[in-house]
């Protein structure tokens, strides 16, 4: 895992605790991200220790998460050894997209999650139109996932159910590609 990936994964874990605790669906997606980043058990333990340090005790966890993000970037010496440089350009957009996607993982993009994303979008000066596209895309993907669940529980024929699921999966794949293109073509510092 690179330092940048460790930073992003830490941000994702902090983000998913915005509502007090990470949901099962969010934990599953975080596991996939950690696996794709080749995260070692020791690295994951360090990340979870940092999440506990930031989120334990008191209320207003989103404010604590935002303060942690800001303190990591604003200090001349970094609190975490892998927090050595700021994220730029596509990395920022990828981070926002992943947070939005994680926000919808448990079907509810909460006010606490929106607050954290809004803070980063403003801080990083990301065009709100890009963020709107990301949110609309995540909502559409969620609706397509719901359509698949509905089809599986319906009385339609096996072939019809499989067609609906295949079509929904193809649409989800196209939507992911659209977000990838949006991120790669965005003009962001």
């Amino acid at each position: 895992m690179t330092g940048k990936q460790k930073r992003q994964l830490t941000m994702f874990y902090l983000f998913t605790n915005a509502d007090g605790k990470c949901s099962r669906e969010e934990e599953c997606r975080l596991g996939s991200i950690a696996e794709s980043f080749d995260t070692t058990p020791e690295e994951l333990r360090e990340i979870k220790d940092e999440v506990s340090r930031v989120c334990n005790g008191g209320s207003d966890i989103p404010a604590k998460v935002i303060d942690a993000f800001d303190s990591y970037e604003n200090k001349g010496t970094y609190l975490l050894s892998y927090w050595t440089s700021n994220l730029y350009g596509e990395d920022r957009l990828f981070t926002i997209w992943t947070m939005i996607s994680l926000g919808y993982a448990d079907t509810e993009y909460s006010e606490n999650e929106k607050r954290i994303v809004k803070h980063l979008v403003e801080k990083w000066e990301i065009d709100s139109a890009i963020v709107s596209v990301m949110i609309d895309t995540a909502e559409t993907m969620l609706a397509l996932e719901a359509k698949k669940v509905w089809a599986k529980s319906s009385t339609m024929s096996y072939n019809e159910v499989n067609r609906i699921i295949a079509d929904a999966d193809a649409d989800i794949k196209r939507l992911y590609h659209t977000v990838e293109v949006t991120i790669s073509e965005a003009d962001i510092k």
Side-chain angles (χ1 to χ4, degrees):
M1 167 188 286
T2 67
K4 177 180 72 175
Q5 289 171 328
K6 193 169 184 181
R7 175 184 180 161
Q8 287 175 311
L9 191 58
T10 302
M11 292 178 80
F12 300 153
Y13 267 94
L14 284 166
F15 173 79
T16 58
N17 280 273
D19 295 318
K21 126 180 197 185
C22 186
S23 73
R24 185 180 62 78
E25 295 85 359
E26 290 168 332
E27 188 67 46
C28 182
R29 293 216 183 154
L30 285 168
S32 295
I33 295 168
E35 186 178 317
S36 75
F37 285 176
D38 294 324
T39 309
T40 67
E42 181 179 305
E43 290 168 327
L44 194 54
R45 188 172 40 259
E46 289 174 15
I47 290 168
K48 289 184 176 185
D49 287 348
E50 178 63 7
V51 170
S52 292
R53 185 192 70 74
V54 170
C55 296
N56 280 346
S59 59
D60 201 4
I61 292 173
K64 291 178 178 184
V65 170
I66 289 168
D67 288 346
F69 289 169
D70 289 349
S71 72
Y72 300 152
E73 289 185 3
N74 294 336
K75 299 225 181 245
T77 58
Y78 296 93
L79 299 177
L80 304 175
S81 61
Y82 52 87
W83 216 278
T84 57
S85 64
N86 291 330
L87 299 173
Y88 294 100
E90 287 183 25
D91 293 329
R92 287 179 174 182
L93 289 175
F94 170 78
T95 299
I96 295 298
W97 165 245
T98 303
M99 286 181 177
I100 290 168
S101 180
L102 285 166
Y104 280 103
D106 56 5
T107 70
E108 182 191 349
Y109 183 39
S110 73
E111 290 305 314
N112 288 342
E113 292 164 334
K114 290 175 185 176
R115 182 174 160 195
I116 293 168
V117 167
K118 180 181 180 204
H119 172 77
L120 290 175
V121 165
E122 289 173 357
K123 181 179 180 111
W124 290 340
E125 299 176 354
I126 295 173
D127 184 347
S128 61
I130 293 172
V131 177
S132 291
V133 167
M134 291 177 175
I135 291 169
D136 291 346
T137 300
E139 289 175 350
T140 302
M141 291 172 144
L142 183 63
L144 289 166
E145 289 294 341
K147 183 177 182 179
K148 289 167 45 178
V149 170
W150 166 80
K152 289 176 186 176
S153 66
S154 73
T155 58
M156 291 184 283
S157 72
Y158 177 80
N159 289 338
E160 185 65 13
V161 168
N162 282 337
R163 186 192 62 74
I164 290 170
I165 291 171
D167 288 348
D169 285 339
D171 289 343
I172 290 169
K173 187 176 181 179
R174 276 191 292 279
L175 289 167
Y176 269 119
H177 178 71
T178 300
V179 169
E180 289 173 346
V181 170
T182 300
I183 289 172
S184 69
E185 292 180 351
D187 183 26
I188 185 167
K189 49 184 169 172

